[in-house]
């Protein structure tokens, strides 16, 4: 009887693991990661959160000093 319950338990448990790993997990990552970052930026405010992020994503083409000296 114990083997029967283990087989039934595995038949119930394994599909949920597959569903979470391949369907629900990526969907949650798409929702929770940007949402968490936006909440962090909201907590930090404009000066400490938003402005450094904007500056980090600006494309700056700066010549390295070793090229400028030669």
């Amino acid at each position: 009887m114990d083997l029967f319950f283990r087989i039934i338990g595995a038949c119930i448990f394994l599909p949920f693991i597959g569903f979470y790993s391949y369907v629900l997990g990526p969907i949650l990552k798409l929702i929770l990661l940007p949402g968490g970052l936006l909440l962090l930026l909201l907590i930090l405010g404009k000066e400490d959160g938003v402005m450094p992020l904007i500056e980090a994503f600006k494309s700056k083409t700066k010549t390295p000093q070793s090229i400028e000296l030669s």
Side-chain angles (χ1 to χ4, degrees):
M1 194 67 168
D2 187 45
L3 180 63
F4 176 71
F5 284 127
R6 285 183 183 254
I7 292 172
I8 294 297
C11 290
I12 293 172
F13 179 72
L14 291 177
F16 283 110
I17 290 295
F19 175 74
Y20 179 78
S21 297
Y22 296 108
V23 178
L24 193 60
I27 291 172
L28 286 175
K29 287 175 191 172
L30 286 174
I31 295 170
L32 294 177
L33 286 176
L37 290 174
L38 287 175
L39 182 63
L40 180 64
L41 291 177
L42 181 68
I43 291 170
L44 288 174
K46 184 176 180 182
E47 293 290 324
D48 294 330
V50 178
M51 297 308 290
L53 184 69
I54 291 172
E55 290 176 13
F57 280 107
K58 283 183 182 176
S59 61
K60 297 179 183 177
T61 56
K62 186 176 179 183
T63 309
Q65 289 182 351
S66 61
I67 295 175
E68 290 176 357
L69 295 175
S70 58

